[in-house]
Amino acid sequence: MIGTFESAAERVRRLGDIHQAGLRFRKMRVRRIFRTLETAMSAGPMSLRELRQIVQQDYEAPVVSLYLNFSPDRLVRADRPVFLSVFESLQHTELERRTEYLQSLTRSQRMRLQDDVAEIRLFLETYRPEGARSIALFKSGDQLVRGLPLTVRSADSLTIDPDPYVEPLEAIMEANRRVLTIELSKDAATVSVYHLGLEQIIDTVKAPAEGQPAQSGRPKDEVQRHFQTHLHWHLESVARLATRAFRERDCELVALVGEAPLLDAFDDFLHKSLKDKLLIKVNPSPGATRAQWRREIDAALDRLRGQEEAAALGELGRYRAHGRLAAGLEAVLEPVNLLLARQLYIRSDLQRPGWICRDHHYLSLQPGRCVFDGTELAPVDNLADELIEVARLHGVDVMVISKRAELLDPFGGVAAVTLPVAPSP
Ligand SMILES: [Zn+2]
């Protein structure tokens, strides 16, 4: 016998709870609408689903997409943050580049665009990056107001276009694992998504009320069984919520947080597909804050990332032996400019000024003219950022190496795997 039936009343209540949990979950999936950039920016992680919705929507006015880096030199204390002048210069360049498109807009679309740019500026004037390395931000009137701080670097860019420019954000989101976190105690559980240093609580469930065993004077073991049944139901409902959240929120890994014996008991309830994705079990000491145990999850993610980087870079020797490897920034630019790169491995801290033609995705370490149209190349602070962005736009598999950077030392910090046979000119 694997169990006993509960009473009819309890049965009805349990089924009601299951139904309510499903309903509540579906309601929360309705897209969140933000009124200001401040609220959008502090709204927690973005799901790939939300990003896709942003891309699929049609917009009445142009969309402003902004990616802005907060490298340490841009955070010097000054009356006007340095990143504000970077923003102004990006804005100037883009307005110049898109003259034709801007002229095709209606008066009201142009007004809306002006308001959006002014609003973003105002937002940046008071924004404090606090641990963020960069931000991504999308704005089109009230139709689209979304932004998020990022724990990784991205190339500076400001785009004004009918559609949002999401590729850099998409790549960053895909390269960083989304963790479903289940914080479990005997009488409650909190399920959240942790991604790119941001956390969003999805749901909190309380264990079913234990009530009293029907008659006092029951044998002790029966009372014991009663409480066990309730714990059993609790763990079961948490597992059900977790399975649903894992799937719906595009999670890739699972972290369990709680006392060791309880987490071990929970193992039997956790769906196999989630058990296979277990990243870590955290047993926080009593009174530990969320921020404290999140650091343990970060450390586990870093370890995993380090292993993945080492495995990927271990393949480079083989490509080199087959004459399919370009190593060092100068050598790597050629296959990327020629659209012949397949994979790109680059140190996250690689920094070198360079020149670029944004219209033709042409990168150079020397000033000069674009080989395609002869216009003068524009200087950039860091060609590595541009290289990453251009490579991604070309569909190159890009891995930014942050944990095992020393493994790229023999390759000058950056390496590209090229197509097997270069087509003859
Ligand atoms: Zn050009």
Short mmCIF file of all heavy atoms in Angstrom, two decimals, residues 306 309-310 313 347-349 401-413:
data_model
loop_
_atom_site.label_atom_id
_atom_site.label_comp_id
_atom_site.label_asym_id
_atom_site.label_seq_id
_atom_site.Cartn_x
_atom_site.Cartn_y
_atom_site.Cartn_z
N GLY A 306 33.74 27.83 -15.06
CA GLY A 306 35.16 27.55 -15.20
C GLY A 306 35.40 26.21 -15.89
O GLY A 306 36.25 26.09 -16.78
N GLU A 309 34.48 26.58 -19.58
CA GLU A 309 35.50 27.32 -20.31
C GLU A 309 36.72 26.44 -20.58
O GLU A 309 37.25 26.42 -21.69
CB GLU A 309 35.92 28.57 -19.52
CG GLU A 309 34.84 29.65 -19.50
CD GLU A 309 35.23 30.90 -18.71
OE1 GLU A 309 36.36 30.95 -18.18
OE2 GLU A 309 34.39 31.80 -18.62
N ALA A 310 37.15 25.73 -19.54
CA ALA A 310 38.33 24.87 -19.69
C ALA A 310 38.07 23.80 -20.77
O ALA A 310 38.94 23.52 -21.60
CB ALA A 310 38.68 24.21 -18.36
N LEU A 313 38.15 25.52 -24.27
CA LEU A 313 39.49 25.95 -24.67
C LEU A 313 40.42 24.76 -24.91
O LEU A 313 41.40 24.87 -25.64
CB LEU A 313 40.08 26.91 -23.64
CG LEU A 313 39.31 28.23 -23.48
CD1 LEU A 313 39.90 29.09 -22.37
CD2 LEU A 313 39.28 29.02 -24.79
N ARG A 347 39.08 36.89 -23.88
CA ARG A 347 39.16 37.25 -22.46
C ARG A 347 38.20 38.38 -22.17
O ARG A 347 38.13 39.35 -22.92
CB ARG A 347 40.57 37.77 -22.14
CG ARG A 347 41.62 36.74 -21.97
CD ARG A 347 42.92 37.44 -21.62
NE ARG A 347 42.85 37.91 -20.24
CZ ARG A 347 43.70 37.50 -19.28
NH1 ARG A 347 44.65 36.66 -19.58
NH2 ARG A 347 43.58 37.96 -18.06
N SER A 348 37.50 38.30 -21.04
CA SER A 348 36.52 39.34 -20.72
C SER A 348 37.20 40.67 -20.43
O SER A 348 36.58 41.72 -20.53
CB SER A 348 35.68 38.91 -19.52
OG SER A 348 36.51 38.70 -18.40
N ASP A 349 38.50 40.64 -20.07
CA ASP A 349 39.15 41.91 -19.72
C ASP A 349 40.08 42.43 -20.83
O ASP A 349 40.88 43.32 -20.60
CB ASP A 349 39.95 41.75 -18.41
CG ASP A 349 40.95 40.60 -18.48
OD1 ASP A 349 40.98 39.90 -19.53
OD2 ASP A 349 41.69 40.39 -17.52
N ILE A 401 35.54 34.60 -22.04
CA ILE A 401 36.21 33.80 -21.03
C ILE A 401 36.52 34.67 -19.81
O ILE A 401 37.30 35.61 -19.89
CB ILE A 401 37.52 33.19 -21.59
CG1 ILE A 401 37.24 32.40 -22.87
CG2 ILE A 401 38.22 32.33 -20.54
CD1 ILE A 401 36.41 31.15 -22.70
N SER A 402 35.88 34.34 -18.68
CA SER A 402 36.09 35.18 -17.50
C SER A 402 36.71 34.43 -16.32
O SER A 402 37.38 35.01 -15.49
CB SER A 402 34.77 35.81 -17.07
OG SER A 402 33.80 34.81 -16.86
N LYS A 403 36.49 33.12 -16.24
CA LYS A 403 36.98 32.37 -15.08
C LYS A 403 38.34 31.73 -15.33
O LYS A 403 39.11 31.53 -14.41
CB LYS A 403 35.98 31.27 -14.69
CG LYS A 403 34.55 31.73 -14.51
CD LYS A 403 34.38 32.74 -13.39
CE LYS A 403 33.05 33.42 -13.51
NZ LYS A 403 33.04 34.78 -12.94
N ARG A 404 38.60 31.30 -16.55
CA ARG A 404 39.86 30.63 -16.85
C ARG A 404 40.64 31.40 -17.91
O ARG A 404 41.19 30.82 -18.85
CB ARG A 404 39.60 29.19 -17.33
CG ARG A 404 38.85 28.31 -16.36
CD ARG A 404 39.60 28.09 -15.03
NE ARG A 404 40.98 27.66 -15.20
CZ ARG A 404 41.33 26.39 -15.35
NH1 ARG A 404 40.44 25.44 -15.33
NH2 ARG A 404 42.61 26.07 -15.51
N ALA A 405 40.71 32.73 -17.73
CA ALA A 405 41.33 33.60 -18.73
C ALA A 405 42.77 33.20 -19.02
O ALA A 405 43.26 33.34 -20.15
CB ALA A 405 41.27 35.05 -18.26
N GLU A 406 43.47 32.63 -18.00
CA GLU A 406 44.88 32.28 -18.19
C GLU A 406 45.05 31.22 -19.29
O GLU A 406 46.11 31.13 -19.91
CB GLU A 406 45.50 31.83 -16.86
CG GLU A 406 45.21 30.38 -16.44
CD GLU A 406 43.79 30.17 -15.87
OE1 GLU A 406 43.02 31.14 -15.79
OE2 GLU A 406 43.47 29.00 -15.53
N LEU A 407 44.02 30.44 -19.55
CA LEU A 407 44.11 29.42 -20.60
C LEU A 407 44.18 30.04 -21.99
O LEU A 407 44.53 29.37 -22.96
CB LEU A 407 42.90 28.46 -20.51
CG LEU A 407 42.81 27.61 -19.23
CD1 LEU A 407 41.55 26.76 -19.25
CD2 LEU A 407 44.04 26.73 -19.10
N LEU A 408 43.84 31.33 -22.09
CA LEU A 408 43.94 32.00 -23.39
C LEU A 408 45.28 32.71 -23.56
O LEU A 408 45.55 33.28 -24.62
CB LEU A 408 42.80 33.02 -23.55
CG LEU A 408 41.51 32.51 -24.20
CD1 LEU A 408 40.45 33.60 -24.22
CD2 LEU A 408 41.75 32.02 -25.64
N ASP A 409 46.13 32.67 -22.52
CA ASP A 409 47.44 33.34 -22.62
C ASP A 409 48.25 32.87 -23.84
O ASP A 409 48.80 33.70 -24.56
CB ASP A 409 48.25 33.14 -21.33
CG ASP A 409 47.72 34.02 -20.20
OD1 ASP A 409 46.90 34.91 -20.49
OD2 ASP A 409 48.11 33.81 -19.04
N PRO A 410 48.33 31.54 -24.08
CA PRO A 410 49.13 31.11 -25.25
C PRO A 410 48.54 31.60 -26.58
O PRO A 410 49.20 31.51 -27.61
CB PRO A 410 49.05 29.57 -25.20
CG PRO A 410 48.46 29.22 -23.89
CD PRO A 410 47.75 30.41 -23.35
N PHE A 411 47.33 32.14 -26.55
CA PHE A 411 46.69 32.60 -27.78
C PHE A 411 46.53 34.13 -27.82
O PHE A 411 45.73 34.66 -28.57
CB PHE A 411 45.31 31.94 -27.94
CG PHE A 411 45.36 30.44 -27.86
CD1 PHE A 411 45.11 29.77 -26.67
CD2 PHE A 411 45.69 29.68 -28.98
CE1 PHE A 411 45.16 28.39 -26.59
CE2 PHE A 411 45.74 28.30 -28.92
CZ PHE A 411 45.49 27.65 -27.72
N GLY A 412 47.28 34.79 -26.94
CA GLY A 412 47.21 36.25 -26.94
C GLY A 412 45.87 36.80 -26.47
O GLY A 412 45.48 37.90 -26.84
N GLY A 413 45.15 36.01 -25.69
CA GLY A 413 43.92 36.53 -25.09
C GLY A 413 42.68 36.40 -25.95
O GLY A 413 41.57 36.62 -25.49
#
